[in-house]
Amino acid sequence: EVGNIFKLGTRFSETLGLSYVDENGVKKPVVMGSYGIGPGRLMGTIVELFHDDRGICWPKSVAPFDVHLISLPGGEQEAEKLYVQLSGGTAKSGEAVPPLEVLFDDRTDKSAGEKFSDADLIGIPYRIVVSHKTVDQGVFELKKRAEKDARSVSLTELFSLI
């Protein structure tokens, strides 16, 4: 049950004196109803429909963040720069791009595996990894949460894909 409907009848309209005149000119109380969608119920339904054995796969349209940015050893400075670019709406070339909501995992007390596992569990639509390996190659690792494999992309490709 995602939403609810309460048939209130004329209980409140009679108390408030809320009425209308019908096509025959007769004054009648308004028949009322209350309709609602509970955020908690809605989130539960989304998770029920969009998940796999590793966690949630938020649809982009309702995800709490656009991107889950993960910083690994050797990629800290580049990850910080990328965070500013993604959240500030400016590509490296200086062109304006829409600012994104970024969940930045810059924890230093967690392993790469723990960070990847947490990212899958949380389920943000895109995961970007910045590490010494990606910095050395001049790329970023991009993975869609709903897909199995990650790929290496340039900064220009990154902005066009997310």
Side-chain angles (χ1 to χ4, degrees), residues 4 24 40 46 51 74 97 99 108 120 142 145:
N4 51 45
N24 299 319
I46 291 168
H51 73 281
V97 293
T108 57
D120 284 342
L142 176 66
R145 172 58 183 90

Side-chain angles (χ1 to χ4, degrees), residues 6 21 28 38 48 56 58 90 139:
F6 297 107
V21 177
K28 294 184 176 179
E48 186 176 323
I56 303 168
W58 287 108
T90 307
V139 296

Side-chain angles (χ1 to χ4, degrees), residues 13-81:
S13 58
E14 288 172 350
T15 303
L16 296 170
L18 181 62
S19 61
Y20 69 99
V21 177
D22 71 10
E23 66 274 0
N24 299 319
V26 178
K27 188 175 179 180
K28 294 184 176 179
V30 172
V31 178
M32 298 175 69
S34 173
Y35 310 90
I37 296 176
R41 290 177 179 176
L42 188 57
M43 285 177 60
T45 301
I46 291 168
V47 171
E48 186 176 323
L49 294 172
F50 298 95
H51 73 281
D52 60 21
D53 60 338
R54 293 172 287 142
I56 303 168
C57 298
W58 287 108
K60 191 173 182 178
S61 60
V62 294
F65 295 91
D66 299 303
V67 173
H68 194 146
L69 175 60
I70 297 177
S71 173
L72 296 179
E76 297 89 352
Q77 288 182 333
E78 284 300 315
E80 287 278 347
K81 289 180 197 174

